[in-house]
Amino acid sequence: GFRGIEFGNWVNGAERQKAINDAFDGLMDLSDVLGISPKAISLNGELGIGFGSRGVGGKGAASAHYEAGKVVINLTKKHGKGSLGHEWWHALDNYFSRMRGEKGGFISDRPNQYTVKGPDGGYVMDDRVRKEMLDAFKGVVTAINKSELPARSKNLDAARSKVYWSTPLELTARSFENFLINKLGE
């Protein structure tokens, strides 16, 4: 149910088939762990996936990334394996933000935003995303903020020129990634 699949020019035919097979297996595992339909994994057919097609190589390059503006996950040819769950979380996080009318945003940045400006300029309840879903995201962010993860992440950020590891976006994705590892280990 994915919107599309893209391959980089230097991913040969055999590698393409293996990448699709491995991603399919990983996505089916994700579906099982979350208890949702495999079709739902594609976020209503809005999500695309690329294999070695959208990244920039070199020293310190990311193993994978999610592009909110294009709604696509990219897994690099050499190091993308193992990143699918993490990047899928980013896609899910962005999906609910887009449902709220925010372009390029992530719901984990503002999970307790339950209202929007109404036609009269006052605030009204925003029913584009169910309150239960917002509460779930808020619960995840709250639990992470009560853990030691933010402090450890700030230590990692101390060696960087700008904050990355300690943002709600990365904290939630890394937590989801660890959740998947634990569930799959069971």
Side-chain angles (χ1 to χ4, degrees), residues 34 43 86-100 102 105-114 129-146 168-173 175-176:
L34 297 178
L43 306 176
H86 177 103
E87 299 307 328
W88 185 84
W89 174 266
H90 287 316
L92 179 74
D93 195 354
N94 174 247
Y95 172 81
F96 285 110
S97 184
R98 286 184 290 111
M99 297 271 299
R100 250 187 343 198
E102 301 169 349
F106 295 89
I107 206 133
S108 60
D109 287 331
R110 290 178 303 289
N112 40 344
Q113 180 181 325
Y114 296 108
V129 176
R130 289 189 355 243
K131 184 178 181 309
E132 295 84 359
M133 186 57 67
L134 291 172
D135 287 343
F137 270 90
K138 183 179 178 181
V140 167
V141 171
T142 299
I144 290 168
N145 287 337
K146 289 180 179 178
L169 180 65
E170 280 306 307
L171 291 170
T172 57
S175 296
F176 182 71

